Each structure stands twice: as C-alpha cells, then as structure tokens.
C-alpha cells in the first residue's frame, strides 16, 4: 500500500479522534454561553451547518479547524462547568499552569484537559514544535515547560478505540482557568538551532488536497446576521489560532525581532536558524508548512509564500528598495543566486517584488521544494512588468496609514486564500480565471493500470481550448465580427443597460427628489445556477426551443412584442424597442417568452451549445462567500432591516484604525473586482497585443468565450428588469433613468424607503426592489434635487452623471463630470457598484 494511502488513513483517524468533548457537551457549552451556531461559524470561518453537525454528532471538525474549536470549548468549559462539576470543591489554581497527568495513556482523550503555560500578559507560551508528552506528536504549546497539545488535542499513532460516550466512566472534575486568545501577530522567536525545523518536516501532514473542504462548503460561509461591525477579540484571532503542525499555511510574514532574532506572524512557526542570507535559504528549503491547498480533488495546489518585511530585508543584508539600474539589479540577482546555490536551491531568473526560491528534484541539499517570496517594501517598484505582476498585491499590503506593511499583506493574503481558495494573481481578471480553473478543473489525470503511465483528458463539462467563436458572438476584435459587420449583418449585442431615460410623468414631475439606488453584485445574483454554453456553438435551422434548457444564441424578432412602456425594453442594452430581428442569448428569449408572450416557434435559426452546464456554480460560491464575509466585518449582513442597513452602509467605510474593518474594506473591493474582471475576461480584447498575437494567445484560449459573457450579462439585465417590473406592479413606481445597475426614481423624500414594496407584516417582497448587501439587493447611492435632474435632461445629459456628486441626504459634493457611473464587466469604466 502506498504512503499516500497511509497518510490518508492517518488523517481520517486524526479527524475522528479529535479529543473534543462529546457532541452533547459541545452544544451545552454553546447554549450556556448564549452563542448561536452562526456566531461560532463566523469565528471559525465555516458554515453554520457544520457547527450543528459537530453538535449532533453527524460531522467531525477537520484537522485544520479542530484545534481552534477545541480552544473555544476549553474556554467555555472553564466559564461554564457542567452541573456535576459545580458542586465539586475547586482546587486552588496555579498562577500559570497545573500538574500534567503522569500517566496520560490511562486517561481518555476527553479527560486530558490541561492548562497551558501563559506569559504575564495572558498569551500562551510557545516554542519550536517538540514531541507532546502525551501523544508524541509535535506541539508548539507548553504546560509546566513541557510540550503539550492545546486542550488535550492529541493524536496518538495507535490507540484502542475509546468507549462509547454512554459507557465511558465520568471524568474527574477539572477546573480550568480561562485561556485568553493569544495575539496572532509578531510572535517573536530567537534564532533556532540548526535542527529546529526538522520536527516540522516529520510532523503529520496537513489535510490532503482531496480532503479539503468541498467548494460548496467553502462558498456558503455565512456570518451571523446580528454580527456587529467590531468583531470580538476571539473572532479576530480565530483564523491563526491553530498550531502550525496541524495545517498548511498559505503565507507567513518574516520580520526581525528587537533581540536580533526573527519574528513570524504565525504562532509556533519555525524560524530560520540564523540571520544570514544562507540561513534564510536553508530555512526555505526545509519543507516549511506552506502551501495553498487544492480546491478540487482533480485540481492543483499552489506554492506557499514567505513575505519579507523592511526589518527582514535589513537583517538579511538586502536593499530596502528594489534597485533601479541594470547593474544593481544584476548584482542583487547574483547575490541571491550564490546564497541559494550554496544549499542546492535556485531563484527566478528575474528578481523583483515577487520571485520564487526552489530546489529541483535530485539536487543536493534536501528535498524538492518551491516557495514564493514577496518583498513587501518592493511592491509597486521595478519595471512595467514587475509592477504589473504585483499590482494586485499592493492594495493588500497597504495599511490604513498608507504604508506598505508585510504583516498587513500576510494577514490579508491568508484571508483572501481562505475565502477564495486561490492566491491573488497579477490582475483581478486573471485571478477570476484562476479561481474557475481551481474549483472546476478542466483536465483530469488518469493512470493506465496496465502500463502505469499517466494521461490527461478533459473533464465532463470542461471548456475546450481553441478558437470556437461563431460570427454573431465573436467579440469586437475578432475577424469574424469584422466580416459580419462589413456585410451589414447583425451581431449579438447583449450588454448592460446604457444611458436609458424617459420623460417624467405628471405625478413624478411634482416630486422634489430623485433617488438613485444601485444593485449590489448583480452578476453574482445570477451566476450560481445559470446554465452556460460549455460546448462549441453549432448552427441549427428551425431549432427546438425546449423551454430554454439549451444555452445559445437565437435569431428572434421582438418588434411586435408589447412590453411595459415605463420600463426600459428588457431585450436591448439601450432600453429602446428593437427595430428588427437580432441575436439574443437564452436568458433574454426565455424572459420574453414567459413574461411577454413571445412565441419561440417563430425562431428560424440558432447557434446552440453542444453542452450546457452551470459552469460558475462553484466559482460563485467562493466569491460570494468571501464577499459576504468581508461585508459582515463591516457591519453589513443579510436580513438587516432597511433602516439598519442604511445606517450601517453610511459608515461602512469609516474604518479608522480598526485592523479587521480595514482588511475587510480592501478585500470586499477586490472580491467585487474579481467577479467583474473574471466575467469581462470572457471577451478579452488584450489591446497590448497585435492582431496575430491576439488570435494565437487569446482567441484560441479556453478562457475566451464571448458567448458566455453574453449569457451572464443577459441574465443580470433580465433579473434587474424582473425586479423593476415587480416593483412597478406593486407600487406603481418606475425608474426615470437607468445606467448599468443604477436606477433613478422620483421620490417625495431623499430616501429610498418609500420605494420599497413590503408585505403586510412589513417584510420585503421577494423579487422586488429591496435594500441590503446580498447580491441582487440594492443600496442607496445618492439623492438629487429634481430640478437639477430636469435641467440635465433638458441639456440632453443623462442624470446618472449626477449620482457621484450628491450625497444620500441631497447635498452637492462636486461639479458634474461626464461619464460617471458608466461601466460594465470588462469595459474599464466605473464598476456597477458605483465605486463603493
């Protein structure tokens, strides 16, 4: 049997023998503390359904979560002892620790509750991973100076099966002092001896890629609706609370400590043995617990990252700024290459803000390894290529005070990879594509049992490579499009609404205000279950409509189909009725057929996909999960009352010196740009490439599929029209102007509250205009005096240009600027979030 199978079995056993209290006790502790499953899930960054599963025994925490969960339960047990324990005489607690059991092999895991050594400030004493006195596995924690696992979280290599909870003897009463959450940042470590990193290499491996949380579980993390903008200290430190030996980390920040040693921002992470450049490369090559785990069993993981701070650069003798001359750069390259070669390692051919340090298989000095290095002080420096590759990293590394900080970057990087499952790439668009490849791999490798050789093939539903464009949906730059337009023929024009407006009604013209609302994450509201064309489009004469189950483009004539006059036309981006037949994506045709009575039997031809799949389901789950988590840290959650949401949204950017809120604001902006950039990437024009290079590198790529973007844009526009139409039917109110996802309504007050349809009990009506941060809900953009809007329309200017120059209470904040708010996926203008 292979080592890989043994590792898998060991991980399974470790997950079962968690050493946690029995499920009923877990639930008792939570209820005693007045906590909800959602609050615990938010602190541990998991789905609340998992917490409920841990409490009813239907699920067990994974090895990456169990230490933090054990820590929480230990703290609750100290505060809320079981009823039978409350009557027992409590021994006088020692100042920092209690006696460790002398014969741990005779105690059940649940009874191995010890108090760990603490510093005077309450933080836990930690050191290099050493063999736990109870189970022999590495532990960074100490009890009376000896290595001990947190909360009895021991994983013996072989142990008899524990008795069933009903048959187990009652554990002796244990009184345990409250264990404060350790500060996760800047854990100082003096230079370790040369052999210090060895225990990490020998430690049990982290979760194998196949055992990573399922994509759906990752994407469905939902914080508690009652979560406040300022998270508790326990919630802030929950993510880095697990011992380093129990999981893989995507990044660690290396800084110099005041005593001349090293400080790392992950508790217990092994430090380099010395402060010289050679010692650093030895450390990089020792098999550090750094890796980005694969998001899908058929996918690939990613290299872990070490982030160097200003202090680390100084200690290693590296320049504080990236050299600007070729001679200085060459000298730096030589210096790094020499130090790496001394231990059998190499560095990237070009050194910049990001580069790789690696050792090839068979090289002297140790095992094959690869680590990505990010030099925080160098971000944003270097030539155009180097600046481009680090463009997404720079905002992640920028602290609230405007400085580029390595610890800030590492903290946000870990949150980013936890939420999305991939590392940030060079751009938001490429990151969006990398995420899709990670959660829905195109290629699957199989081993021939006869020959033992591996071969790859496309997985079912995968996007094939090659130029698969058809003339009506090839994108503006493709020769097929140019040829079609040169003959005066129609191409697909599925786009977001652009600059639609109408005359005000008599009732609207006497209202003093125009209120602008904007859709939150409109694309994410439709991509979860949207069936998209995965296979090539094939031309079909007199196609079978089959209820719109097949993705594709349809030749339809909507000129005789009546629609609502007060709303923009649902089938056109300009909102005006079409003047003739044209090519429309399946979501548009389906809406026109079901809502306005269009007859699909009149369709004479179509380009239909050979394979229709919900291509972005897992992708949407990851992005939406990160989006919601980030906004929850800013005090914006699902289910908030309209007034509560408006108040929270008005101050959500006021982060001050709050580290959690500052991180969340940066991450929320990145997540929004990633889903928009990823969707725009389907029709990438890559203006920096000449036509031939574009055809070879872009049009022939699996990620160039304009028809997929057409379907997403059409679905988002149709979803918006459906909400506008339902609001009109319930309230008689319709927008006077629309641009992308910004809707302007005439109102009696500078507030959108009067526009919201509500049920008899005051709750929002599903499918209509509603306020909230959830994808598809709306936020208040601005309130503009009606007279100003009328003057702009009389000048034949679109009133949405005024949105960014008025506050939500109607105060003017700046002069008019043309083009404000004009943007869609891949257009390069302002995003449809209104810049928020």
């Amino acid at each position: 049997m292979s080592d890989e199978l043994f590792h898998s079995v060991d991980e399974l056993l470790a997950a079962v023998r968690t050493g946690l209290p029995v499920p009923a006790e877990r639930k008792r502790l939570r209820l005693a503390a007045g906590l909800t499953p959602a609050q615990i899930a938010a602190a541990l960054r998991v789905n609340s359904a998992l917490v409920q599963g841990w409490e009813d025994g239907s699920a067990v925490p994974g090895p990456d979560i169990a230490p933090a969960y054990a820590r929480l339960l230990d703290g609750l047990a100290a505060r809320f002892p079981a009823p039978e324990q409350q009557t027992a005489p409590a021994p006088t607690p020692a100042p920092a620790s209690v006696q460790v059991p002398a014969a741990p092999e005779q105690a059940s895991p649940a009874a191995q509750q010890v108090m760990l050594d603490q510093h005077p400030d309450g933080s836990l004493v930690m050191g290099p991973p050493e063999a736990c006195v109870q189970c022999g596995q590495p532990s960074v924690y100490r009890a009376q100076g000896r290595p001990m696992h947190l909360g009895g979280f021991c994983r013996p290599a072989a142990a008899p099966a524990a008795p069933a909870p009903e048959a187990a003897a009652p554990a002796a009463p244990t009184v345990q002092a409250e264990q404060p959450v350790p500060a996760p940042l800047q854990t100082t470590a003096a230079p370790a001896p040369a052999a210090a990193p060895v225990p990490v290499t020998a430690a049990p491996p982290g979760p194998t890629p196949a055992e990573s949380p399922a994509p759906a579980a990752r994407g469905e993390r939902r914080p508690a609706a009652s979560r406040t903008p300022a998270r508790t200290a326990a919630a802030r430190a929950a993510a880095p609370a697990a011992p380093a030996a129990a999981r893989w980390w995507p990044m660690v920040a290396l800084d110099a400590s005041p005593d001349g040693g090293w400080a790392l921002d992950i508790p217990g992470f092994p430090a380099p043995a010395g402060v010289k450049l050679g010692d650093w490369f030895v450390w990089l090559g020792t098999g550090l617990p750094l890796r980005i785990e694969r998001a899908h069993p058929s996918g690939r993981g990613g290299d872990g990252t070490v982030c160097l701070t200003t202090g680390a650069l100084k200690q290693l003798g590296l320049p504080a700024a990236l050299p600007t001359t070729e001679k200085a750069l060459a000298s730096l390259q030589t210096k790094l290459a020499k130090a790496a070669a001394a231990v059998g390692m190499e560095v990237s051919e070009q050194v910049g803000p990001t580069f790789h340090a690696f050792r090839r298989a068979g090289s002297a000095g140790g095992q094959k390894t690869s680590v990505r290095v990010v030099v925080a002080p160098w971000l944003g420096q270097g030539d155009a290529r180097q600046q481009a590759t680090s463009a997404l990293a720079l905002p992640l590394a920028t602290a609230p005070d405007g400085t580029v900080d390595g610890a800030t970057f590492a903290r946000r990087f870990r949150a980013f990879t936890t939420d999305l499952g991939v590392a940030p790439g060079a751009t938001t668009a490429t990151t969006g594509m990398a995420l899709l490849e990670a959660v829905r791999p195109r290629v699957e490798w199989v081993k021939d049992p006869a020959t033992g050789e591996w071969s790859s093939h496309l997985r079912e539903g995968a996007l094939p490579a090659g130029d698969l464009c058809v003339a009506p949906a090839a994108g503006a730059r493709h020769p097929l499009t140019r040829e079609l337009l040169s003959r005066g023929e129609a191409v697909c024009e599925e786009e977001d609404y652009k600059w639609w407006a109408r005359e005000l009604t008599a009732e609207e013209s006497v209202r003093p205000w125009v209120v602008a609302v904007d859709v939150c994450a409109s694309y994410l509201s439709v991509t979860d279950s949207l069936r998209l064309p995965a296979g090539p489009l094939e031309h079909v004469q007199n196609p079978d409509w089959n209820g719109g189950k097949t993705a594709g483009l349809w030749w339809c004539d909507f000129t005789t189909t009546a629609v609502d006059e007060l709303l923009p036309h649902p089938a056109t981006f300009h909102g005006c009725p079409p003047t003739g037949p044209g090519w429309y994506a399946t979501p548009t045709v389906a809406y026109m057929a079901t809502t306005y009575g269009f007859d699909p039997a009149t369709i004479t031809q179509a380009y239909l996909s050979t394979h229709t799949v919900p291509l972005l389901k897992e992708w949407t789950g990851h992005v939406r999960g990160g989006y919601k988590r980030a906004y929850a840290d800013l005090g914006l959650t699902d289910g908030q009352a309209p007034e509560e949401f408006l108040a929270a949204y008005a101050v959500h950017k006021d982060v001050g010196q709050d580290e959690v809120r500052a991180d969340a604001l940066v991450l929320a902006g990145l997540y929004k740009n990633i889903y928009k950039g990823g969707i725009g990437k389907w029709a990438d024009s890559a203006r920096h490439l000449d036509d031939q290079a574009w055809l070879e590198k872009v049009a022939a790529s699996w990620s160039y599929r304009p028809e997929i973007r057409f379907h997403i844009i059409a679905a988002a526009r149709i979803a918006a029209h459906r909400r506008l139409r339902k609001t009109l039917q319930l309230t008689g109110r319709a927008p006077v102007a629309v641009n992308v996802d910004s809707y302007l309504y005439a109102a009696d007050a500078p507030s959108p509250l009067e526009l919201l349809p509500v049920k008899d009990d005051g709750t929002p009506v599903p499918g209509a205009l509603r306020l909230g941060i959830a994808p598809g809900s709306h936020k208040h953009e601005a309130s503009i005096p009606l007279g100003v809007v009328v003057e702009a329309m009389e000048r034949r200017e679109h009133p949405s240009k005024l949105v960014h120059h008025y506050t939500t209470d109607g105060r003017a904040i700046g002069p008019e600027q043309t083009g404000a708010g004009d943007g869609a996926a891949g257009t390069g203008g302002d995003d449809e979030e209104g810049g928020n």
Side-chain angles (χ1 to χ4, degrees), residues 104 129-139 147-149 154-157 199 202-204:
E130 295 181 11
C132 172
V133 297
Q134 295 190 111
C135 70
Q137 301 298 324
S139 174
M148 183 78 67
H149 274 109
C154 292
R155 296 185 289 174

Side-chain angles (χ1 to χ4, degrees), residues 659-681:
E659 184 179 277
V660 172
R661 288 175 61 84
D663 291 354
L665 190 62
V666 171
L667 291 172
L670 283 180
Y671 296 156
K672 292 194 299 182
N673 287 328
I674 283 169
Y675 75 72
K676 286 179 287 185
I679 291 170
K681 188 72 172 174

Side-chain angles (χ1 to χ4, degrees), residues 209 248-250 290-295 299-305 356 370-372 421-423:
W248 293 93
W249 299 92
L290 291 172
R291 186 182 69 191
I292 296 176
E293 301 170 28
R294 65 182 75 181
R300 301 179 63 180
D303 290 341
T305 304
H356 273 79
S370 178
V371 180
R372 183 173 180 242
V422 296

Side-chain angles (χ1 to χ4, degrees), residues 463-487:
L463 297 172
D467 190 345
L468 304 178
C469 290
V470 295
R477 191 170 181 182
H478 204 285
L480 288 174
T481 302
R482 298 173 182 174
E483 181 182 352
L484 204 63
L485 293 176
S486 68
R487 299 200 303 264

Side-chain angles (χ1 to χ4, degrees), residues 374-597:
V374 174
V375 186
W378 295 356
L379 292 172
Q381 301 177 17
D383 57 27
R385 184 194 65 82
Q386 292 169 331
Q387 292 185 36
T389 56
S390 61
L392 208 57
L394 187 57
L396 284 172
T398 304
D401 61 2
T403 60
V404 177
D405 177 61
T408 298
F409 180 60
R411 187 178 63 249
R412 292 173 180 173
F413 186 99
R414 288 193 291 267
F416 185 104
T417 54
T418 298
D419 287 336
L420 266 61
V422 296
T427 67
T428 55
T430 56
T431 303
M433 289 294 113
L435 174 59
L436 180 59
E437 179 78 346
V439 300
R440 195 182 182 92
R442 297 174 57 251
V443 173
E444 188 172 48
W445 287 86
V446 293
K447 186 176 182 179
D448 189 326
T451 64
E453 295 183 356
W454 290 86
S455 60
S456 63
H457 62 85
L458 285 178
R459 298 177 66 244
E460 182 180 359
L463 297 172
D467 190 345
L468 304 178
C469 290
V470 295
R477 191 170 181 182
H478 204 285
L480 288 174
T481 302
R482 298 173 182 174
E483 181 182 352
L484 204 63
L485 293 176
S486 68
R487 299 200 303 264
E489 299 184 29
V491 296
C492 184
E493 294 182 323
E494 295 279 20
E495 295 291 346
D496 289 303
Y497 283 126
K498 299 284 178 64
W499 310 114
W500 176 85
R502 61 170 174 80
E503 293 185 3
L504 278 68
T505 64
E507 183 181 1
E508 292 168 339
S509 61
V510 297
R511 292 192 165 115
W513 296 97
V514 168
V515 172
V517 293
D518 182 86
V519 183
C520 296
S522 63
Y523 303 138
L524 287 184
S525 70
V526 299
T527 51
D528 182 55
S529 58
L530 179 63
R531 299 183 64 80
L532 295 166
L537 299 181
E538 295 184 353
H539 188 259
V540 179
Q541 293 285 353
N542 299 316
D544 177 21
W545 170 241
N546 75 1
K549 297 178 182 178
T550 304
L553 305 176
W554 310 78
W555 182 253
C556 303
D557 188 352
F558 296 140
T559 55
T560 60
T561 304
V563 297
D564 297 282
E565 295 183 357
L566 291 178
L567 299 178
H569 197 284
T572 63
F573 72 89
H574 46 70
C576 301
T579 57
W583 292 103
Y584 299 93
T586 300
T588 300
V589 182
Y591 184 66
M592 292 296 293
T594 58
T595 304
Y596 293 107

Side-chain angles (χ1 to χ4, degrees), residues 718-810:
I718 291 302
H721 193 278
R722 184 179 286 112
R723 290 189 293 266
L724 296 178
R725 185 171 188 266
K726 190 165 187 177
T727 302
L728 174 62
Q729 292 173 335
L730 294 173
T731 66
R733 310 287 278 270
V736 299
V738 173
N739 184 44
V740 192
D741 291 323
S742 181
Y743 313 139
L744 281 71
Y745 281 83
D748 294 321
S751 168
L753 294 177
E754 67 182 82
L755 307 173
L756 307 179
V758 294
K759 294 186 286 189
D760 293 340
D761 60 359
T763 58
V765 176
L769 188 71
R770 64 184 301 172
L771 295 177
I773 201 61
S777 295
H778 302 73
K779 57 181 179 288
H780 187 190
E781 276 192 298
S783 296
I784 312 167
L786 180 69
V788 177
V789 170
V790 171
E791 291 176 3
M793 296 177 72
E794 288 176 348
R795 296 193 303 267
R796 305 187 66 82
E797 295 178 0
H798 198 272
S800 66
K801 294 180 179 181
L802 302 167
V803 165
H804 296 287
H805 305 291
Y806 282 85
T807 63
T808 52
D809 59 4

Side-chain angles (χ1 to χ4, degrees), residues 2-263:
S2 68
D3 291 342
E4 182 179 358
L5 293 179
F6 279 121
H7 284 316
S8 298
V9 171
D10 289 342
E11 288 298 328
L12 182 61
L13 292 174
V16 174
R17 291 194 293 266
T18 60
L20 296 169
V22 296
E25 176 65 3
R26 303 171 198 173
K27 184 174 182 179
R28 185 196 71 78
L29 290 171
R30 177 179 60 78
L31 294 175
L35 298 174
T36 66
Q39 287 174 304
I40 294 179
L44 298 177
R45 293 189 177 180
V46 297
N47 193 320
S48 58
L50 281 178
V51 177
Q52 294 173 341
W54 300 340
E55 294 180 353
D56 63 22
S58 62
V60 294
D64 57 337
I65 296 296
Y69 188 41
R71 180 181 184 79
L72 171 66
L73 295 177
D74 287 346
L76 295 180
R79 297 187 183 189
F80 308 101
E84 60 270 21
Q85 296 180 7
Q86 293 175 355
T87 58
T92 303
S97 61
V98 298
Q99 182 66 36
V100 180
E105 65 277 1
Q106 297 177 358
S108 67
Q112 296 171 3
Q113 304 281 344
V114 298
M115 182 174 178
L116 301 180
D117 295 349
Q118 300 176 5
H119 292 293
D121 63 357
S123 61
L124 295 182
V125 174
M126 299 182 186
E130 295 181 11
C132 172
V133 297
Q134 295 190 111
C135 70
Q137 301 298 324
S139 174
V140 299
Y141 299 95
R142 300 292 183 265
Q144 292 194 340
R146 296 187 291 175
M148 183 78 67
H149 274 109
L150 175 66
F153 184 69
C154 292
R155 296 185 289 174
E166 305 84 66
T174 301
V175 178
Q176 182 177 357
E178 179 183 353
Q179 297 178 0
V181 178
L185 296 178
Q186 299 305 325
T187 299
T188 304
V198 174
V200 176
T201 307
T208 61
E211 295 163 348
S212 299
R218 280 183 184 267
E220 290 301 321
R221 301 187 207 97
R222 290 184 174 88
S226 61
R227 193 172 189 169
T228 59
R231 296 170 61 193
T232 64
R236 297 182 186 210
R247 64 168 294 173
W248 293 93
W249 299 92
M251 174 181 278
V252 64
L254 182 66
D255 196 6
S257 64
D259 61 1
W262 293 109

